[in-house]
Amino acid sequence: MTLSAAEKPDVSDISKIIAKSRPSAAAYETLYRKIHGDPELSLQEEATAAVVARHLRSMKDVDVRTNIGGHGVVGILRNGNGNTVLLRADIDALPVEEQTGLDYASTKRMVDVADDVERPVMHACGHDMHITSLLAAGELLNTCRDSWNGTVVLLFQPNEERGAGAQAMVDDGLYDEKRHAIPKPDVVLGSHVMAMRAGNLNTRKGVFGSTAVSYLVTLFGRGGHGSRPHTTIDPVVLAASTVMKLQTIVSRETNPQEAVVVTVGASQAGTVENVISGEAKLLINTRAFSAEGRNRVRAAMERIINAECEAAGSPRPPLIEETSSFPLLYNDENATEIVSQAMKDHFGSKFSPDGPISMGSEDFGNLAINTPSCFWNYGGIDPQKWDDAEKRGKLAEEIPGNSTTLSNAEQHFKLTSYRHPQSVFRTRDSTYFDYRD
């Protein structure tokens, strides 16, 4: 049922419930450091999933399910009749070498199952904070069960960085009664720590993040010795020409009022300086804010690549393979209005319902099958450090963004995870939960 406005608890009561039920910050800081120091690449999150499952099982009356869509873990808090809210955190790390200098910094290396290459590993995108925050929010909600009715699904998703983990969980029968039988949610909620001032949060209705598609492109040439270039078709020159021409998709083929991105993140060819290789590989990432934009960019990319290969006299057509795909991140208007009001009531001026649309991407939406969803961002940068850099006009230079070697959530648990933005919505809004007196 939905309570009338008169029956809803006072906002101050909600804040009191959260304050009273908040778990130990010290315990979760220890957990955060453990997770941060032991990251795992996508598809290989076995130890991380075990830590999550063990922590969930330490909570009373939490139904724990594991090995969903790979190393996915779910904890279910059933608390009487009412609606079901799914809260999601991602758990994988990136192939990045950490350079933060922290005493708990990752020095780990793993052989990536995707290509059998050993790489450094780091939680450079904040998924360690996401795990810790959601576990802490779960404990808070479990502690204050006498304040709400309904069901909470705590979902810990693998393989987000490659855009496939959410869909893998669904395809593995996440909501199938004959498989994992996770309760079908009435709303799906998620969040991301960002390079923002700790304590600040934002969201917005409608489009909130881009769709993204990545490609592996193989360009074929004819190899030979560097002393006889006239007998070869040099794939390095072909790759260089292709990279430059691809930039015109944004600068000359896209309406300046429309935002799209085409990034060539890697170019690989040859192993020595005096031998011309037989092929070159490009790793390309494209982003747009609509399906139409995504499709138009792909068509332009394919046209340019094929034309460059023909112009170079390639002995065979290029091979263009899609390696990952992220859906558009779209916030349901009604769900976002509810979240925004709850956030505003609890966080006051530190919350903005008009956050910027991001070119970042998420596969979060694949968990919401014909279900409203809402995603928001929260800050993880030391307020003093942020304010000092902002005062001197040095935010871009001194505040590391997500996915860099210097990324770190700054350990501001008291300002981020321990203010529990997830918990505010569940305990505040009677559209999804019934309240008890």
Side-chain angles (χ1 to χ4, degrees):
M1 83 179 190
T2 299
L3 302 185
S4 67
E7 295 175 297
K8 292 181 181 180
D10 184 82
V11 172
S12 62
D13 291 339
I14 299 303
S15 296
K16 290 176 182 177
I17 291 171
I18 293 174
K20 179 181 178 181
S21 305
R22 183 179 298 160
S24 164
Y28 280 96
E29 181 168 353
T30 298
L31 177 62
Y32 171 89
R33 292 184 176 218
K34 173 181 173 59
I35 296 169
H36 183 89
D38 190 20
E40 294 177 298
L41 293 173
S42 303
L43 300 173
Q44 298 170 248
E45 313 94 335
E46 183 177 0
T48 304
V51 169
V52 169
R54 185 162 55 249
H55 195 89
L56 289 172
R57 290 187 175 111
S58 72
M59 301 181 197
K60 184 179 179 180
D61 298 327
V62 175
D63 181 5
V64 181
R65 315 283 175 84
T66 60
N67 300 315
I68 305 176
H71 297 297
V73 180
V74 170
I76 305 170
L77 284 68
R78 293 185 175 86
N79 198 33
N81 296 327
N83 290 326
T84 298
V85 177
L86 186 151
L87 314 177
R88 174 267 205 172
D90 35 18
I91 67 173
D92 52 336
L94 286 165
V96 174
E97 186 172 4
E98 183 162 358
Q99 298 177 10
T100 61
L102 297 168
D103 59 5
Y104 54 91
S106 169
T107 58
K108 189 169 183 176
R109 299 183 66 87
M110 296 183 74
V111 175
D112 193 334
V113 296
D115 55 13
D116 292 326
V117 175
E118 182 180 271
R119 293 187 171 90
V121 192
M122 176 189 176
H123 268 301
C125 201
H127 296 186
D128 45 357
M129 177 64 82
H130 300 171
I131 297 166
T132 309
S133 296
L134 187 53
L135 287 172
E139 182 175 346
L140 186 156
L141 290 164
N142 205 37
T143 300
C144 67
R145 281 177 181 262
D146 60 347
S147 300
W148 57 274
N149 292 341
T151 299
V152 173
V153 176
L154 307 172
L155 184 145
F156 297 84
Q157 177 205 312
N159 199 19
E160 186 276 337
E161 296 293 355
R162 296 174 184 172
Q167 192 61 53
M169 293 186 78
V170 173
D171 292 345
D172 191 33
L174 177 69
Y175 305 124
D176 187 341
E177 293 183 358
K178 297 181 180 179
R179 285 286 293 150
H180 299 290
I182 304 304
K184 185 76 164 54
D186 296 292
V187 67
V188 178
L189 304 177
S191 60
H192 205 297
V193 64
M194 299 294 286
M196 296 161 38
R197 191 181 192 275
N200 290 353
L201 310 90
N202 65 54
T203 190
R204 70 179 299 117
K205 297 176 182 177
V207 175
F208 194 42
S210 75
T211 176
V213 186
S214 292
Y215 305 91
L216 168 62
V217 177
T218 305
L219 307 174
F220 299 99
R222 183 167 61 240
H225 197 274
S227 65
R228 295 173 53 82
H230 58 289
T231 66
T232 72
I233 297 174
D234 191 338
V236 174
V237 175
L238 170 57
S241 177
T242 301
V243 170
M244 294 303 295
K245 190 65 175 179
L246 287 171
Q247 307 311 305
T248 65
I249 296 175
V250 176
S251 67
R252 290 298 178 267
E253 297 192 31
T254 301
N255 187 324
Q257 295 180 336
E258 180 185 1
V260 301
V261 171
V262 178
T263 297
V264 181
S267 177
Q268 302 165 346
T271 57
V272 295
E273 75 280 2
N274 65 336
V275 175
I276 295 171
S277 65
E279 65 179 41
K281 295 182 182 294
L282 302 177
L283 297 177
I284 302 174
N285 178 258
T286 67
R287 296 171 185 267
F289 286 132
S290 67
E292 294 77 16
R294 177 191 62 204
N295 295 337
R296 181 173 52 76
V297 168
R298 175 165 185 155
M301 181 191 74
E302 291 178 344
R303 167 173 49 80
I304 288 170
I305 292 171
N306 279 289
E308 289 292 327
C309 288
E310 184 175 354
S314 293
R316 54 185 288 198
L319 179 61
I320 303 174
E321 303 171 89
E322 183 177 306
T323 56
S324 70
S325 179
F326 291 80
L328 193 68
L329 181 57
Y330 187 90
N331 281 341
D332 176 83
E333 292 198 3
N334 184 54
T336 305
E337 176 64 30
I338 293 168
V339 169
S340 295
Q341 187 58 56
M343 295 286 195
K344 182 180 178 181
D345 290 344
H346 186 70
F347 292 102
S349 62
K350 293 185 179 297
F351 169 75
S352 171
D354 299 308
I357 301 174
S358 171
M359 266 296 175
S361 301
E362 269 282 350
D363 69 343
F364 162 80
N366 289 333
L367 294 170
I369 303 173
N370 300 317
T371 302
S373 62
C374 178
F375 198 87
W376 63 87
N377 295 325
Y378 60 96
I381 302 298
D382 183 324
Q384 183 175 348
K385 181 177 180 179
W386 178 277
D387 293 345
D388 179 62
E390 185 175 43
K391 183 178 180 180
R392 293 182 290 106
K394 296 290 186 179
L395 285 176
E397 296 91 334
E398 297 181 7
I399 303 299
N402 290 53
S403 303
T404 72
T405 60
L406 298 174
S407 298
N408 173 38
E410 300 285 356
Q411 311 321 303
H412 280 274
F413 293 93
K414 294 179 182 177
L415 293 173
T416 53
S417 61
Y418 276 82
R419 293 185 72 173
H420 298 296
Q422 295 101 331
S423 304
V424 174
F425 182 50
R426 261 84 62 205
T427 55
R428 164 66 177 85
D429 187 75
S430 62
T431 300
Y432 296 114
F433 277 89
D434 294 338
Y435 289 103
R436 296 177 179 173
D437 294 333

